[in-house]
Amino acid sequence: MCLLGRNGVGKTTLLKTIMGVLRPVGGSLRFGSRDITTTAPHERARAGIGYVPQGCGIFPYLTVTENLLMGLEAARARPADALDEVYGYFPVLKEMGRRTAGVLSSGRQQQLAIARALVRRPQLLLLDEPTEGI
């Protein structure tokens, strides 16, 4: 699904609300059969929601590989082939594994942020401005 709209109509606010960064002022939010309206963001991540905010939010002083491993940090189960899978999507990240993430171009940082979210194999992936800088 793709959510489109002009600047200021609430796309980012909606994604932040789904992820739990912002609290809804009314109504409820369900993920599958579970009510997650009051669930903390890290619990939503563990439930299978991945999120890449606008501006990517990488860890600039960690290496590319360390950033990807951070994506697995809170995972209940760590798939053995998870890194290989995201390297299949973004092969250049494997080549840049030892580079400090903060020195990458904005496009490569965006790829890294998406790969970090994908490494956990989320059931739902929220991307805010995913092509920014690419």
Side-chain angles (χ1 to χ4, degrees), residues 78-94:
R78 295 181 182 198
D81 62 342
L83 287 180
D84 290 333
E85 185 176 328
V86 296
Y87 289 147
Y89 300 134
F90 303 101
V92 71
L93 295 179
K94 186 172 186 175

Side-chain angles (χ1 to χ4, degrees), residues 12-104:
T12 296
T13 300
L14 174 63
L15 294 181
K16 286 181 176 182
T17 302
I18 293 170
M19 197 58 224
V21 177
L22 297 175
R23 295 279 180 209
V25 293
S28 64
L29 183 64
R30 300 188 73 76
F31 183 58
S33 61
R34 185 174 168 202
D35 184 340
I36 61 169
T37 308
T38 59
T39 305
H42 72 277
E43 292 171 340
R44 294 177 194 208
R46 281 198 174 145
I49 301 175
Y51 177 54
V52 179
Q54 184 176 2
C56 54
I58 59 151
F59 299 99
Y61 298 108
L62 298 181
T63 67
V64 168
T65 301
E66 290 167 339
N67 264 273
L68 292 173
L69 291 173
M70 288 298 290
L72 288 171
E73 191 59 35
R76 293 177 197 266
R78 295 181 182 198
D81 62 342
L83 287 180
D84 290 333
E85 185 176 328
V86 296
Y87 289 147
Y89 300 134
F90 303 101
V92 71
L93 295 179
K94 186 172 186 175
E95 298 169 18
M96 298 180 165
R98 295 181 134 170
R99 286 195 191 171
T100 304
V103 302
L104 300 178

